Amino acid sequence: MIIRITRIFAALCALCLTGSVAWAHPHVWVTSTSELIYAPDGSLTGVRHAWTFDDMFSTYAVQGIETKTKGVFTREELAPLAQTNVESLKEFGFFTFARIGDGGSRKKQKFEDPVDYYLEHKDGALVLHFTLPLKTPVKARQMAVEIYDPTYFVDFALAKDNPIKLVGAPADCKLNIERPTDGSAQAQTLGEQNFLNGDNSNYGAMFANKVTVDCP
């Protein structure tokens, strides 16, 4: 998905910018809204995402796509790009990490391949919609979901209003959202080579968006 395209995008940016900023992480910005989907028995079955990309990346990504109407991109016209995106996401764990249990004893959950995916072009920005079904639906008193890019190539920020929703969850489940601090300034002090050679391969975890659900 994004990484395959964004590495090209970063190279293009380097032609336009000078100095260390051209090589500072992150390179792409995503605003995320998500839904945690529950079955009637109270088990979590999956996560539904809507990721809005920054204007600059969105403009670059749609270059070369043929459209019937200039400047208007239909879901059908964006379908090949959407497929490339979700297929490439798997390599990066879909930037979505789910665990059940309490504290350090939380057990990592695995996802199936994305379903119901599509891209829309809205107000000049690309929005990627997709659902991640859990391999095994799980019912747990405590659960955590984190959204981030470990390499911090892509910066994920939760939408300002209603970024996370519980869909079909038991009425007594409580949702808590923890937003990260802004790590952009700190990331700019690290050279690109620090990220490429693996020295900071999990740097993005410091700025993960964390969602916890407690169901008595």
Side-chain angles (χ1 to χ4, degrees):
M1 166 207 133
I2 340 183
I3 297 300
R4 184 176 301 170
I5 300 174
T6 50
R7 294 204 181 280
I8 302 173
F9 172 71
L12 292 177
C13 285
L15 297 178
C16 302
L17 302 175
T18 58
S20 61
V21 175
W23 297 107
H25 278 55
H27 295 285
V28 179
W29 290 262
V30 172
T31 301
S32 173
T33 61
S34 304
E35 296 178 337
L36 307 186
I37 306 169
Y38 287 78
D41 67 353
S43 60
L44 180 71
T45 62
V47 180
R48 183 183 296 125
H49 288 307
W51 289 351
T52 302
F53 295 94
D54 64 84
D55 293 345
M56 187 177 295
F57 174 75
S58 296
T59 299
Y60 168 75
V62 298
Q63 288 183 1
I65 296 179
E66 295 185 1
T67 62
K68 292 182 178 180
T69 304
K70 184 177 180 180
V72 178
F73 299 87
T74 66
R75 187 182 300 189
E76 292 73 22
E77 291 164 342
L78 292 171
L81 179 59
Q83 181 176 355
T84 299
N85 285 353
V86 296
E87 288 177 352
S88 300
L89 269 173
K90 188 173 184 178
E91 180 182 352
F92 306 97
F94 311 106
F95 299 133
T96 306
F97 308 92
R99 293 177 173 83
I100 61 170
D102 183 18
S105 62
R106 288 174 177 163
K107 182 179 180 182
K108 186 176 181 180
Q109 304 299 297
K110 294 182 179 180
F111 291 103
E112 298 280 6
D113 291 340
V115 297
D116 302 330
Y117 59 83
Y118 65 93
L119 274 169
E120 68 172 330
H121 193 256
K122 183 178 180 181
D123 299 327
L126 279 175
V127 185
L128 177 63
H129 300 262
F130 66 102
T131 299
L132 287 175
L134 282 170
K135 284 186 176 294
T136 304
V138 59
K139 184 186 296 185
R141 293 188 61 181
Q142 294 183 314
M143 184 174 308
V145 177
E146 296 182 337
I147 304 167
Y148 69 98
D149 174 9
T151 68
Y152 202 48
F153 198 91
V154 182
D155 178 87
F156 285 90
L158 297 181
K160 183 178 179 180
D161 300 318
N162 301 315
I164 307 293
K165 295 181 180 179
L166 301 182
V167 179
D172 53 358
C173 289
K174 304 298 182 182
L175 173 68
N176 182 65
I177 299 173
E178 182 180 344
R179 299 173 186 265
T181 57
D182 181 16
S184 299
Q186 184 177 356
Q188 289 177 10
T189 65
L190 300 175
E192 185 75 6
Q193 191 59 39
N194 288 91
F195 292 91
L196 296 178
N197 65 18
D199 290 348
N200 288 281
S201 59
N202 199 39
Y203 183 86
M206 297 172 58
F207 312 106
N209 298 281
K210 301 177 182 180
V211 180
T212 55
V213 182
D214 291 290
C215 297

